Structures are given as structure tokens and as C-alpha cells.
Amino acid sequence: MSRTPLLAFNDKGIYCEQADVYLDPWRPVTNAIITHGHSDHSRWGHQNYITHHQNVPIIRHRLGEINVTGKSWNERFTVNGVVFSLHPAGHIVGSSQVRVEYKGEVWVFTGDYKTEDDGISQPYEVVKCDTFITECTFGLPAFNWLPQSEVFTDVNNWWAENRADGRTSILFGYTLGKAQRLMKHLDLSIGKIYTHGAVENMTEVLRPIVALPPTTLITAATKKEELLGNIVIAPPSAHGSPWIRKMTPFVTGTASGWMAFRGARARRAIDKGFVLSDHCDWYSLLDSIKATGAEKVICTHGYSDIFSKYLRELGYDARTANTQYEGESAEMGIATESENDTAA
């Protein structure tokens, strides 16, 4: 007889029956462990939230006064005999993997993750396990990221060229994670960083957690002459809005893993695309799985069918599972982001 798996996928989320706890549930539940603050992983309506303490102010900013408990990295807590702990995922500030152990069996749920140290998030930690639940947002061999130092050299050169031409640089990045990663690595000898209100609000939440450069909020009183030669960080939802049209002359850029696809920039009517993702590329996914020592792999959002098929060819016991996580799809307009919300 087959026994109930330690973690199972149902219509509410990833469920640990033994502990009566869900991981990143997408429907209201009693007990939820939340990996990070993006809206597809942290949703409103749960009775009790557990997350890393860095993520507590983030989800409170987004969800309001919720009943939330913060945990430290590697802090073990037990629910009905099941031992849980949170480990750095490297995706955004406060993002965690969830380790689940019961009677000697260990599962790890990654949420979203990346292995490159971005300079603002706690770097990804390899966690040994028997079963590994991994995202596959960029699970195709075509996705092979350059080191971020090279990407930011391109970003800063682009900004400097625009300044020399007397134009404002507008760089799109999601309000939680991508926007702060961008501002952290901008060269302030070129000019000042201005922000859209949604970006500024989230950045203020994160300033007590991570060192970030000074930014200036754009208000109704801001004159476009003040912006010339400087850089504006805004959410993708601002593209094409009346807010942005007041900044003429400007040049637009976006930072996303999807910029690796030829034609993606043109479809978004963006002047410049930078390949920069807060998710693993194909090679990082494979390296991460190998490092865990897991024999069983469950592939969730992204190119899960292709990626799991390849894993089976490598000898893994790999399968797919359906979830409501979006990965970085919203950056290409597949999903939308409100000015006060975020997507990965």
C-alpha cells in the first residue's frame, strides 16, 4: 500500500497533512508557511502566517494586519512531530526555502530561488533532502545568465549614454526585489535615482533590512527638467501610462530573464532589454538539484514538462505538479501588476 506523501498538492496549495500546515497556499487556510512576499506566493486570508522575520514587514505592507510569526534562518520548529525550518532562497530579500522533516524523511520546497548572490538577499543555501520541489520558470537550455556584474556594466553604460544625449532613463523592474536590486548596483556618479511611488513605498519598507542608495520620489511637483539625465525606476505597469509620458524625452529599458528571448523587447515596445532575473537559469537549476542529493524532484511553475522530462533522462524520479505560482511571467504582460502589488 502506498502511504500519504509528506507533502501533497491539492486545490489549496502544498499540504503537509501530518502537521496540518500549507506551504504558500493560494486559497485561505488555517496555517500557512510563506516563502516570500510576491503576491503569487503570499496571499491574503490565512488565519496564521509563518515566514522569515525579514519577510514579516514585507507581507504586512502588502496584506495589512495579519497574524504572522517570524522565524530565523535554520531555526527549527515542530508541529505535531514534523520539523520545519527556513533556509535562504536568494530570490529576493527575506525569501526562504522550506525544509520539512518527519520520521527521517526530508523534503525541501524552494518557492522561487536563484543561486547568484545579488548583493541584497541572503545568498542561496544548499539544503540536502530526499525530495526537492523546484520551480522551472526558466527551465530551458536557452536561458543561461551572464554574471550580474556584466549586466550592470551594460545598464550603467546605457544610463551614461542617455545622460550625454540629454534624455531621462526609465528602467522597469518589479516593486519588490527587482527594483531594489537595480538601484543597489547603479553608478551614482552618473546621476540621481528617481522612483515611482510604488517602488519608493516598498523600498522604504526594505531600508531597515538592507542598505540601499538614496532615492527621490517623483511627485506632482517634480519637473521633467529635474529628471533629464537621471534614472527613474518604475514598475512595468507604468509603461505607456500618462505618468510616464510627462517625462519626455526619455529612453526605456527593462530587466528580465525574458529579455533572453529574441523579440521580447520589441513586443513590449521597450528601447533596451537587460537579461537579469531573480530566478535560476537552466544550468543553475540542474546544479542546485544535484547539490541537494535528492532522488525525487517535483517540478512546478515554468517549463516544468520539458525540465522534468530531461531530469528523468538523467535518472531522477521526476514529475510535475500544477500550482498557481507565476514565476516571472508577469514581466511580459502575461499577468498584471497593480501599482501597490508585486510579481516575481
Side-chain angles (χ1 to χ4, degrees):
M1 293 178 62
S2 61
R3 60 187 180 84
T4 302
L6 183 54
L7 296 177
F9 293 75
N10 62 31
D11 62 349
K12 292 182 178 179
I14 302 172
Y15 184 51
C16 180
E17 182 179 0
Q18 176 65 27
D20 191 23
V21 169
Y22 279 85
L23 313 184
D24 287 358
W26 45 82
R27 291 183 181 173
V29 300
T30 301
N31 301 305
I33 298 177
I34 304 299
T35 61
H36 66 284
H38 284 146
S39 60
D40 55 331
H41 289 261
S42 60
R43 307 203 182 200
W44 184 85
H46 311 313
Q47 290 185 31
N48 304 298
Y49 293 74
I50 296 175
T51 192
H52 187 264
H53 67 78
Q54 289 183 343
N55 193 39
V56 170
I58 295 170
I59 62 174
R60 276 200 168 130
H61 172 74
R62 291 193 52 253
L63 303 177
E65 281 303 315
I66 55 175
N67 183 26
V68 56
T69 300
K71 299 291 184 180
S72 300
W73 303 125
N74 295 282
E75 177 185 347
R76 295 193 166 203
F77 54 100
T78 302
V79 182
N80 197 28
V82 181
V83 181
F84 297 90
S85 56
L86 304 180
H87 303 261
H91 174 56
I92 61 170
V93 174
S95 61
S96 302
Q97 306 170 79
V98 184
R99 182 184 185 274
V100 186
E101 180 179 359
Y102 184 63
K103 293 185 176 179
E105 183 180 1
V106 178
W107 290 50
V108 168
F109 170 52
T110 62
D112 290 331
Y113 69 111
K114 71 172 180 297
T115 57
E116 183 177 32
D117 183 356
D118 60 16
I120 62 171
S121 310
Q122 184 75 13
Y124 173 83
E125 175 188 311
V126 174
V127 184
K128 298 290 186 177
C129 60
D130 304 304
T131 301
F132 191 60
I133 303 175
T134 180
E135 59 145 308
C136 309
T137 302
F138 293 107
L140 289 178
F143 297 111
N144 183 14
W145 311 144
L146 292 173
Q148 74 168 12
S149 59
E150 295 183 30
V151 178
F152 281 111
T153 295
D154 289 343
V155 171
N156 285 310
N157 287 341
W158 170 76
W159 180 15
E161 290 169 6
N162 296 337
R163 183 177 181 87
D165 292 338
R167 296 184 290 182
T168 300
S169 300
I170 302 177
L171 190 55
F172 297 114
Y174 275 88
T175 56
L176 171 57
K178 186 68 66 65
Q180 292 76 31
R181 186 182 182 188
L182 292 171
M183 65 179 65
K184 179 69 174 182
H185 298 283
L186 290 174
D187 182 356
L188 295 188
S189 71
I190 300 171
K192 294 175 62 176
I193 303 173
Y194 285 83
T195 53
H196 181 281
V199 170
E200 186 68 18
N201 290 341
M202 183 56 71
T203 300
E204 287 303 305
V205 173
L206 295 179
R207 284 194 186 279
I209 303 171
V210 60
L212 294 168
T215 56
T216 302
L217 173 65
I218 296 175
T219 68
T222 305
K223 295 180 173 57
K224 70 176 183 180
E225 289 79 14
E226 299 175 49
L227 303 176
L228 291 177
N230 295 310
I231 195 164
V232 175
I233 300 181
S237 58
H239 184 43
S241 67
W243 180 84
I244 200 174
R245 289 196 290 269
K246 297 176 182 178
M247 300 180 192
T248 306
F250 61 80
V251 182
T252 58
T254 195
S256 169
W258 297 113
M259 291 296 108
F261 272 158
R262 190 173 297 177
R265 176 176 58 84
R267 288 197 298 272
R268 290 282 290 162
I270 298 292
D271 298 314
K272 180 72 173 180
F274 301 100
V275 182
L276 186 73
S277 177
D278 290 327
H279 299 258
C280 288
D281 63 8
W282 167 270
Y283 302 94
S284 296
L285 287 170
L286 292 174
D287 289 345
S288 300
I289 291 167
K290 183 178 180 180
T292 67
E295 296 182 355
K296 295 183 179 181
V297 182
I298 301 174
C299 303
T300 61
H301 51 301
Y303 290 96
S304 55
D305 289 336
I306 295 171
F307 191 69
S308 63
K309 181 177 184 295
Y310 184 74
L311 290 178
R312 289 193 293 274
E313 292 173 357
L314 294 179
Y316 289 96
D317 179 0
R319 66 179 179 87
T320 63
N322 293 325
T323 69
Q324 293 188 15
Y325 311 134
E326 297 174 355
E328 211 164 283
S329 62
E331 293 199 358
M332 296 308 297
I334 299 171
T336 58
E337 174 194 50
S338 72
E339 290 186 355
N340 296 312
D341 206 350
T342 56

